[in-house]
Amino acid sequence: MGKGKNKTNQKQEKYQQEKNRDEKKDVEQVIEKEKWKQEQIREEGSTVLNENEEKHNIQLITIIGEVEGHDVLGNNTKATKYEHILPALASIEDSSEIEGVLILLNTMGGDVEAGLAIAEMISSLSKPTVSLVLGGSHSIGVPIAVSSDYSYIVPTGTMVIHPVRLSGLVIGAQPTFDYFRQMQNRIIHFVSSHCKISPDRMEELMMETGMLTKDVGTILVGREAVEEGIINEVGGIAQAVSKLHEMIGKR
């Protein structure tokens, strides 16, 4: 009887030890997952939103500050690095878990080539995408904002539309003018093909001379961007997330 009891106790102790190990492992995995999530937010401004009632996995992408291209910006400049965003978007497309993408924008614009590359990547995703313009989505931020399947802008959000500019030495020759025109046409064509504004109206807004005192272009605030046909709707984070859940549910 004593031996049988000892064996039973040993089995119970072994079972309890294994259970404790499993529980410890689960806790460690949760901690590691949370650390990884915080690291993603800190380094790349992205995270996965998956604690909703619908149990949808939504990838959050932020376009903040200046869109950095081939030239590295200073340490004091907030920037979105396209070499971070492009692999992240490719990973989203490849993922069987991510069901939708939410893009938050508060950008002054930046590198045209990098911005268009990001916009093209977003527009070619097979997953539902929703963008939300917060403080502003200026310059090359406009194509990025309209590249999603559906777009929102907060009432106080702004969009600055202006001609293409180049920094540094610019040679005043016909090839330079042709290059500017080509770059501008690429932006106009992309924007007009991803929202309701016409190419002619987009160019009119770019070349407006009566609004910006020291520059050429147009500032659109909140509903004005919707009335021009650039953004789909005025709304905030609740509306954007709700719309994305709705789009995911229809897939």
Side-chain angles (χ1 to χ4, degrees), residues 119-120 123-124 143 145-149 151 188-197 229-230 232:
E120 290 283 10
S123 68
S124 63
V146 305
S147 64
S148 60
D149 297 323
S151 57
I188 292 171
H189 174 73
F190 183 91
V191 172
S192 62
S193 63
H194 286 82
C195 63
K196 296 177 182 177
I197 196 170
I230 297 174
N232 291 114

Side-chain angles (χ1 to χ4, degrees), residues 77-230:
T77 302
K78 284 190 178 295
T80 294
K81 298 177 182 293
Y82 82 108
E83 68 267 28
H84 287 172
I85 300 295
L86 298 187
L89 292 171
S91 178
I92 289 166
E93 180 61 31
D94 187 57
S95 173
S96 60
E97 296 181 357
I98 300 299
E99 299 168 273
V101 185
L102 176 64
I103 304 112
L104 302 182
L105 296 108
N106 189 4
T107 176
M108 60 183 288
D111 187 277
V112 173
E113 297 285 354
L116 281 176
I118 292 170
E120 290 283 10
M121 283 282 281
I122 293 171
S123 68
S124 63
L125 288 173
S126 64
K127 315 288 175 76
T129 55
V130 171
S131 62
L132 173 59
V133 176
L134 297 168
S137 188
H138 305 162
S139 190
I140 200 60
V142 177
I144 299 174
V146 305
S147 64
S148 60
D149 297 323
Y150 203 86
S151 57
Y152 287 90
I153 185 169
V154 295
T156 57
T158 59
M159 305 188 86
V160 176
I161 301 168
H162 60 70
V164 172
R165 304 188 188 96
L166 286 180
S167 59
L169 178 64
V170 177
I171 300 173
Q174 186 62 39
T176 304
F177 175 79
D178 292 341
Y179 175 73
F180 270 77
R181 170 59 65 179
Q182 184 187 54
M183 292 287 287
Q184 193 160 296
N185 286 341
R186 288 168 64 193
I187 294 170
I188 292 171
H189 174 73
F190 183 91
V191 172
S192 62
S193 63
H194 286 82
C195 63
K196 296 177 182 177
I197 196 170
S198 68
D200 290 342
R201 180 56 179 160
M202 183 67 185
E203 188 165 12
E204 282 179 19
L205 294 176
M206 277 184 166
M207 306 309 294
E208 171 64 44
T209 58
M211 183 171 287
L212 301 176
T213 56
K214 295 182 179 180
D215 201 354
V216 177
T218 303
I219 301 174
L220 301 175
V221 181
R223 184 159 295 282
E224 293 174 342
V226 177
E227 291 170 352
E228 289 289 353
I230 297 174

